[in-house]
Amino acid sequence: MAIITLTTDMGTRDHYVAALKAKILMIDIEAKIVDITHDIEHYNISHAAYVLKAVYGDFPKGTIHLLSVGAHDNAGHKYLAAKIEEYYFTAPDNGVLSLLYDGDIQARIISDATANTPFPEKNIMAVYAAKLSVTPDIDKIGKPYTNIKKLLQRNIIKNKNIIKGCVIHGDIYGNCVTNITFKDFDEICAGRKYLISFGRNTAENINNHYYEIEHGQYGLIFNDAGNLEIFIQSGSAKQLLGLRYDISDATTVSVSFFPDI
């Protein structure tokens, strides 16, 4: 039984999500459909990429992920089926796949400007997601496509004594997720003491659990996706610490490492 996940900015107050599911089930009645979220911020490609990147690998290999955000603002009206590692995706060619994965992506174009539909999520992406669930062979659909639209990643700046990054996502709890990863931190830290600066605040340690911090106090933790996250116990770091997502500011959060004595 194939698993098809849905990640969209459609919300749940209208019929749109149900229409996606109906289209999939018309093609594959046995498909197992999982909602990841339909509350992606409208047209926020970075938000969609972060959310799906954090979870797609937790599903069994061969899972098909339908990823739709800003589909109606898709210049050229190109839609893709793609294979990343052992997972399949259908998505608009608006740069979201390049933010999701920075390696080689095997892609097939499943539609172009000749496909005139007001509901591409249903009539293109859902159709091909269902086709992949019936025949999980990407080479048998569409035609090869190598000119995937790419967007610049918000990369960290690092050397042997400092990591500078930025807030890339604010979750529903007001936690501020950064692009500083445990891998980069652990590689440079090498057991040294450090000081983390963000806004007007600093911290000298990273917590292992949220509950280690008293109510109303801020802390830092590496979340389940491996990203450094700033939080306030029972509060919103986004609101109370004045941190914000800003593509032009790559120095919102910095980690300075002290030399060994």
Side-chain angles (χ1 to χ4, degrees):
M1 180 182 296
I3 298 174
I4 299 175
T5 78
L6 306 178
T7 303
T8 80
D9 59 356
M10 296 179 180
T12 54
R13 61 175 294 176
D14 295 304
H15 67 283
Y16 304 126
V17 174
L20 290 186
K21 296 179 180 181
K23 178 62 74 172
I24 290 169
L25 294 172
M26 286 290 289
I27 297 171
D28 183 7
I29 190 64
E30 297 184 351
K32 183 175 180 64
I33 303 173
V34 177
D35 298 291
I36 292 180
T37 182
H38 300 292
D39 292 322
I40 297 296
E41 295 176 8
H42 294 308
Y43 313 112
N44 190 332
I45 293 172
S46 295
H47 183 197
Y50 170 77
V51 169
L52 189 53
K53 185 176 183 179
V55 74
Y56 80 81
D58 291 335
F59 285 87
K61 292 180 179 179
T63 295
I64 303 140
H65 299 285
L66 187 156
L67 174 57
S68 175
V69 59
H72 297 278
D73 190 32
N74 183 26
H77 306 290
K78 292 183 174 65
Y79 300 90
L80 306 177
K83 187 175 183 181
I84 295 175
E85 297 171 332
E86 298 299 320
Y87 299 92
Y88 299 98
F89 298 81
T90 60
D93 184 31
N94 58 6
V96 67
L97 290 176
S98 71
L99 295 180
L100 181 72
Y101 187 74
D102 60 3
D104 292 331
I105 300 176
Q106 181 184 354
R108 311 281 292 188
I109 189 167
I110 53 177
S111 177
D112 55 27
T114 61
N116 184 18
T117 172
F119 199 171
E121 298 94 333
K122 169 189 172 184
N123 296 316
I124 300 173
M125 286 184 279
V127 168
Y128 280 89
K131 287 183 177 180
L132 282 168
S133 73
V134 175
T135 305
D137 186 349
I138 197 169
D139 292 327
K140 293 185 178 180
I141 62 174
K143 57 184 178 180
Y145 186 68
T146 58
N147 193 29
I148 297 175
K149 182 176 180 179
K150 294 185 178 181
L151 297 176
L152 292 176
Q153 299 277 357
R154 293 169 183 83
N155 294 323
I156 62 172
I157 299 170
K158 64 179 181 177
N159 58 41
K160 64 180 181 180
N161 291 317
I162 196 167
I163 303 174
K164 292 184 178 181
C166 60
V167 173
I168 59 172
H169 175 58
D171 71 13
I172 194 171
Y173 296 102
N175 301 329
C176 295
V177 181
T178 78
N179 59 349
I180 297 173
T181 67
F182 175 77
K183 179 180 179 181
D184 287 313
F185 174 87
D186 190 54
E187 179 183 279
I188 296 175
C189 180
R192 293 183 292 170
K193 292 184 177 181
Y194 53 86
L195 180 70
I196 303 173
S197 302
F198 47 98
R200 298 179 179 178
N201 304 283
T202 60
E204 296 180 352
N205 68 289
I206 298 173
N207 304 102
N208 293 314
H209 303 283
Y210 294 101
Y211 59 72
E212 293 176 352
I213 300 298
E214 295 183 3
H215 287 272
Q217 300 298 309
Y218 66 77
L220 295 99
I221 195 170
F222 282 106
N223 64 22
D224 188 59
N227 293 78
L228 184 65
E229 180 179 294
I230 303 163
F231 68 96
I232 288 181
Q233 182 63 271
S234 304
S236 170
K238 183 178 179 181
Q239 291 180 353
L240 298 178
L241 298 180
L243 298 175
R244 64 192 180 94
Y245 164 80
D246 187 346
I247 189 172
S248 66
D249 183 1
T251 61
T252 301
V253 181
S254 66
V255 187
S256 300
F257 299 94
F258 299 117
D260 293 324
I261 298 176

